[in-house]
Structure formats: structure tokens, C-alpha cells
Amino acid sequence: MDKKKYTMKEFAAEHSLTLGRHCCYGEYGGYRVHVRYRAMGNPACLITVVTDTKGRNEALEKYLEKNKKQLKLTAYGVVGIGLMVSPQLYTNIFRQIGEILDKIISYLKKNKFPGAEYCPYCGTALEGGGIEMLESDIPFCAHEQCFDRAYAAAKQREAEEEAMPSNKLAGMGGALCGALIGAALFVVLFFWWNFAALGAAVSVFLGGWLYTKFGGRNTLFKVIGVALLTLAVMLLTFFGCLWVQGVMEGDGLSYIAQQLSEDSKYLQKILLNLIFIFVFDLIGTLYAVFSFLRDRKKVSANMRRL
């Protein structure tokens, strides 16, 4: 078969897997697997192998870390119902996916990780076949009682997280630190290069990250607060830079007014910086909105019987 034409459909047919939207799933080498691939996805490829990992999470993580280069992994994770890996693949995608699955499943078999005939929650045999279910869009079989316990635990965790304090003040402190770092970069770029709006990009992304690191929760307040704080700090920094430049070159505000009326390039520089301050702040805010919406998705909402 021509390697260039080996598609997900052919991969699924060869291994008797069920095709879904941008994915295929079923039993592969004695284990339940799920393969999702979208060229423009983030990540583009995500492979899940279902098994009971309790008590051996660290050993499995060490195996994946040790063989990260061989398996072409950019990211991996071990969860209660198995492992997820994200390989970076450019050519012969599904042939390489098959090779990666073969290597991972060979390790699982060698180390006696439970296969498809066992419940991934408790690791014991599925007498009577168990029930077909979904968790995080991954289909597999489990004991009905185990599913009920896992669902109840997920709901409990979500309720506890919802009840946690928002820590808005601490979060905004982190966002301010990010904005000030971006402001420092803005000043350097302004006097070195004239185009300084890149500082806004640093402020909004670093501010959002530090908001969480300082204990703030990923809420709508975070999205709006970081966006507005970044914008305020960047605009103040920009006008402060213009004033300092005016003092250095002439008579402060009079110099700025004179340049605006006489020098079209000066006006162009101001407009360019202003426009891109808003553009970079908007880009960072859109990213924060997607992150907020993703985090709002509840695990329990993606757990159901089939």
C-alpha cells in the first residue's frame, strides 16, 4: 500500500477500529485505545490507551519520559484510566501511530497492566462484559458500580473546586507583576527601536499566567481584569515614554504637540504603537477566553453510559 495514502480510515480498517469524527477507537493489541488526529488541532495527535494504572503511575511516567524521543512525544500524561500521549508527527502519520501503539502496548503487556477485559477503575475482570461508557470522550468498558463511584467522585471534586475562594486580589497582584515586566520591556523597545507594542503581548500572557500562579482562579474576572490592567499599564507607559522623550528633546508636551503637527512619521509611530497595543491585548484576551471556556468544561459532563 502506498505510504502516502495510508489514512485514518485505512488504519482503522486494518485494526478493526471504529471511525469517529477525527478519531478512531476500539481494541488494539488487547487494550482499548482511542486515536484522535486533526492536522490543525492542539495537539494535532492524541493517543489514549485504557488500563488500570493505580500504584504504577510513576513507573509508567518514567517509561514514557525515558522513551520520549523514540516515541516522538511532545507531551504525555498518566491518569486513573490509562495513559495519554501526544506525538509530533509529520509524515506517514498513521504508520507511525501504529508503531507507537505497538511499543507502548508491548511495555504494558510485559509489565502485566490490565487489558480490555479488565475494568480500568478497579483492575479486576469484567464479568458479564461491564457497561460501555465514555470518560473525556474516550469509550471503554467498566463495572457499573465503578462508573457510579467515579462519576460521584468527579461531581464532588467539581463542587469543591467551585466552592474555593477566587483569590482575586492575589491574582491581580500577579497580573500587575506581569504587566510591569511588560512595561519594562516596552520602555527598552521604545527608546531602542521606536516600536514597543510587543511589551503588551508579554504583559497580557505573562500577567494571565502569574494571575493563576499567585493563587487566582481561572474565572471571567481574571480574563477581564488582566485585559484591562494590561491595557491601562501599557497606555500609561506609552504616554510616559512620549513625555520623557519630549523632555529629553525639547519642552515636554510642547515638543509632542510640535512633532504631531510637523512630522508625519512621528504621528505614524504613535498610531502604530497604539494600534498594536490594542491588537496584542486582544489576542492575549482571546487566548484567555478559550482557556476559561476549556476549564469550565466539567469532567462529569463527559462521563456517561453508552
Side-chain angles (χ1 to χ4, degrees):
M1 187 182 294
D2 186 351
K3 290 184 178 181
K4 293 182 180 179
K5 295 181 180 179
Y6 190 62
T7 63
M8 179 186 288
K9 183 178 180 180
E10 291 164 325
F11 173 78
E14 182 177 334
H15 298 286
S16 301
L17 302 176
T18 302
L19 273 174
R21 183 175 173 81
H22 303 299
C23 70
C24 58
Y25 54 90
E27 193 170 324
Y28 185 108
Y31 290 81
R32 286 291 190 107
V33 303
H34 183 276
V35 177
R36 189 184 72 199
Y37 181 78
R38 285 189 300 166
M40 301 303 293
N42 183 24
C45 182
L46 184 64
I47 301 171
T48 304
V49 182
V50 178
T51 183
D52 175 35
T53 63
K54 286 191 299 295
R56 292 188 283 178
N57 294 46
E58 290 186 9
L60 193 46
E61 286 172 353
K62 286 179 181 177
Y63 161 76
L64 294 172
E65 178 63 30
K66 182 179 179 181
N67 294 275
K68 187 163 63 173
K69 186 175 181 180
Q70 183 186 23
L71 297 172
K72 301 179 175 62
L73 304 184
T74 57
Y76 62 83
V78 179
V79 294
I81 61 164
L83 63 94
M84 295 180 176
V85 298
S86 177
Q88 192 167 37
L89 309 172
Y90 300 105
T91 59
N92 301 326
I93 304 297
F94 289 97
R95 291 189 185 280
Q96 292 193 73
I97 287 174
E99 291 169 3
I100 290 167
L101 275 171
D102 289 340
K103 290 170 183 174
I104 291 174
I105 287 174
S106 176
Y107 171 84
L108 295 177
K109 285 183 174 178
K110 181 179 178 182
N111 290 274
K112 296 181 170 53
F113 280 83
E117 68 275 17
Y118 292 87
C119 174
Y121 289 119
C122 67
T124 61
L126 287 167
E127 298 175 0
I131 61 166
E132 290 281 343
M133 60 161 289
L134 276 179
E135 180 174 331
S136 301
D137 295 325
I138 310 301
F140 57 91
C141 277
H143 292 126
E144 186 170 7
Q145 299 91 330
C146 291
F147 166 78
D148 291 338
R149 282 194 294 270
Y151 182 78
K155 294 288 285 184
Q156 178 65 27
R157 285 194 301 271
E158 289 162 2
E160 290 172 356
E161 288 172 5
E162 197 65 32
M164 288 174 61
S166 296
N167 293 328
K168 293 178 181 177
L169 189 60
M172 288 304 290
L176 180 60
C177 290
L180 292 176
I181 293 170
L185 176 63
F186 189 102
V187 172
V188 172
L189 291 175
F190 180 88
F191 289 103
W192 175 51
W193 192 26
N194 283 329
F195 180 70
L198 287 171
V202 172
S203 288
V204 70
F205 284 106
L206 185 59
W209 183 71
L210 288 175
Y211 185 101
T212 305
K213 285 296 178 182
F214 275 51
R217 285 178 54 203
N218 192 8
T219 62
L220 188 59
F221 177 86
K222 170 194 168 181
V223 175
I224 297 172
V226 172
L228 293 178
L229 179 65
T230 295
L231 199 57
V233 171
M234 288 300 101
L235 291 175
L236 286 171
T237 303
F238 182 36
F239 291 120
C241 287
L242 288 173
W243 183 79
V244 170
Q245 186 184 56
V247 171
M248 292 169 61
E249 298 290 342
D251 190 19
L253 294 176
S254 299
Y255 172 83
I256 296 172
Q258 181 182 356
Q259 289 296 105
L260 285 172
S261 61
E262 297 177 359
D263 190 348
S264 60
K265 288 186 178 179
Y266 185 83
L267 176 60
Q268 184 182 33
K269 178 184 75 173
I270 289 179
L271 290 176
L272 195 64
N273 276 290
L274 279 173
I275 289 169
F276 276 94
I277 284 172
F278 281 92
V279 167
F280 286 135
D281 189 59
L282 178 61
I283 291 171
T285 302
L286 288 174
Y287 177 84
V289 168
F290 292 138
S291 173
F292 166 66
L293 292 175
R294 184 182 63 238
D295 286 358
R296 282 190 68 191
K297 291 181 179 178
K298 298 183 183 298
V299 172
S300 62
N302 287 321
M303 293 179 68
R304 66 180 187 274
R305 294 177 176 85
L306 293 176

